[in-house]
Amino acid sequence: MSITNDLYKKMVSFYNGDPEHIQHFVKVHSFARLIGEEEGLDEKTQFILETAALVHDIGIKPSMEKYGSSAGKYQEKEGPAYAKEMLEELGYESDVVERVCYLVGHHHTYTDIDGLDYQILVEADFLVNYFENGNSTDNIKLSVEKIFRTDAGKAIAKEMFFPDPAPFVMSDTWAQDALQDLEDFIEEQGIYIRQ
């Protein structure tokens, strides 16, 4: 069993009875893993990214308890201490804990993004939030243009939310095919046409 799986299970327990937040971090982790691998992150950076993706919203529960709000600024304020405690309990190395806590404490800050792990975490979170929040296509396009930097993240956003329409391809026998489809339909409906 890997330490990542242990963290995954610990986060499911942390959000016990809250499938919405469990589903959220699972999806963010999946997108972060994919984008990180597609962008060719080194092994350690990939590990930090995936760890941060699992705990990125750990500050929601304490923010709700303390402030009655899960606003990003509160998550960034409360989340790092909870992430640190959980990661240290599981035996994560101190440099990994430090970087993950930094990412948890900044994942709603979209200026001065320092590092590909940070950039990808932000993109993965946006990809999930666009869908969960029901953002309009125009708003999604605008924020992808402003925030996304990775080719993989941009490609996923484009294919999910504003794909190119499939080209219409007409076969050489389109007229005969259409006539045959019509004849088949008429026969299936039991319609008889006098000739």
Side-chain angles (χ1 to χ4, degrees), residues 136-151:
S136 72
T137 302
D138 288 341
N139 285 342
I140 294 169
K141 279 184 181 180
L142 184 61
S143 72
V144 167
E145 288 172 10
K146 287 184 175 185
I147 294 167
F148 282 50
R149 297 290 174 260
T150 69
D151 291 335

Side-chain angles (χ1 to χ4, degrees), residues 40 45 77 82 89 94 102 104-105 123 143 148 152-153 167 171 179 183:
T45 307
K77 182 177 180 181
Y82 282 81
E89 183 180 309
S94 61
Y102 175 81
V104 169
E123 291 180 13
S143 72
F148 282 50
S171 71
L179 185 55
E183 288 174 1

Side-chain angles (χ1 to χ4, degrees), residues 156-195:
I156 291 168
K158 183 179 185 300
E159 291 193 18
M160 280 178 63
F161 300 107
F162 33 93
D164 293 330
F168 178 73
V169 179
M170 216 183 292
S171 71
D172 293 337
T173 60
W174 69 271
Q176 293 89 348
D177 295 342
L179 185 55
Q180 185 61 53
D181 289 344
L182 180 60
E183 288 174 1
D184 292 344
F185 174 77
I186 290 171
E187 186 177 319
E188 288 171 8
Q189 299 302 311
I191 301 170
Y192 299 98
I193 301 175
R194 283 189 243 165
Q195 305 249 351

Side-chain angles (χ1 to χ4, degrees), residues 4-24:
T4 300
N5 286 349
D6 291 340
L7 179 60
Y8 202 122
K9 291 186 301 184
K10 196 102 169 148
M11 283 300 296
V12 169
S13 293
F14 183 79
Y15 280 120
N16 182 23
D18 187 353
E20 180 181 342
H21 286 107
I22 293 169
Q23 295 268 333
H24 178 81

Side-chain angles (χ1 to χ4, degrees), residues 94-157:
S94 61
D95 61 327
V96 172
V97 173
E98 184 180 334
R99 181 63 179 171
V100 169
C101 288
Y102 175 81
L103 295 174
V104 169
H106 291 82
H107 78 281
H108 284 288
T109 303
Y110 312 125
T111 56
D112 301 320
I113 292 177
D114 63 338
L116 210 43
D117 51 359
Y118 186 170
Q119 179 66 43
I120 294 170
L121 178 61
V122 166
E123 291 180 13
D125 200 22
F126 265 95
L127 288 169
V128 176
N129 284 330
Y130 290 147
F131 175 74
E132 290 178 350
N133 297 340
N135 293 94
S136 72
T137 302
D138 288 341
N139 285 342
I140 294 169
K141 279 184 181 180
L142 184 61
S143 72
V144 167
E145 288 172 10
K146 287 184 175 185
I147 294 167
F148 282 50
R149 297 290 174 260
T150 69
D151 291 335
K154 290 176 190 176
I156 291 168

Side-chain angles (χ1 to χ4, degrees), residues 20-94:
E20 180 181 342
H21 286 107
I22 293 169
Q23 295 268 333
H24 178 81
F25 81 72
V26 167
K27 291 182 279 187
V28 171
H29 175 262
S30 184
F31 280 126
R33 181 186 52 75
L34 175 62
I35 296 169
E37 289 176 358
E38 290 295 307
E39 293 295 319
L41 294 185
D42 64 82
E43 190 175 325
K44 185 157 189 176
T45 307
Q46 181 75 27
F47 179 69
I48 290 169
L49 169 63
E50 290 190 40
T51 302
L54 288 171
V55 299
H56 75 284
D57 276 348
I58 199 168
I60 287 177
K61 277 179 70 172
S63 295
M64 288 301 295
E65 291 167 6
K66 195 169 185 177
Y67 308 103
S69 170
S70 63
K73 66 181 179 179
Y74 297 134
Q75 289 181 45
E76 289 183 338
K77 182 177 180 181
E78 300 298 325
Y82 282 81
K84 181 178 183 183
E85 180 180 339
M86 188 178 289
L87 297 174
E88 287 178 345
E89 183 180 309
L90 290 170
Y92 279 79
E93 294 179 8
S94 61

